[in-house]
Amino acid sequence: MSTSKERVSAALQGRYVSPPCCGELWLGSKLFEQNQLKDDLEGHFELCHELGMDIVSLPVSESPV
């Protein structure tokens, strides 16, 4: 795989990518739906673990949920 886009696409499809993708990746709600996960803290941790990500960034809001 030659481009970053191809490598990220392969990782999201569950294919092996070596070396792992580096950089930022926004995990949208549709990605969670496709993987039968909730778009919540637990879902983010699970998906990030599956993708081999090192850091999880979550949106923060001042309004209560």
Side-chain angles (χ1 to χ4, degrees):
M1 283 170 251
S2 58
T3 68
S4 298
K5 185 176 180 179
E6 291 171 333
R7 297 180 71 226
V8 169
S9 178
L12 292 175
Q13 293 172 14
R15 295 184 300 184
Y16 179 74
V17 178
S18 180
C21 298
C22 298
E24 295 181 18
L25 177 66
W26 180 262
L27 304 176
S29 295
K30 287 185 180 183
L31 183 61
F32 290 92
E33 291 172 12
Q34 291 172 351
N35 288 281
Q36 299 169 348
L37 296 169
K38 290 185 179 179
D39 188 356
D40 60 5
L41 183 61
E42 188 175 315
H44 275 261
F45 283 142
E46 187 169 338
L47 189 55
C48 288
H49 177 74
E50 288 179 21
L51 294 173
M53 298 170 72
D54 298 319
I55 298 172
V56 178
S57 298
L58 302 170
V60 177
S61 173
E62 300 235 355
S63 63
V65 177

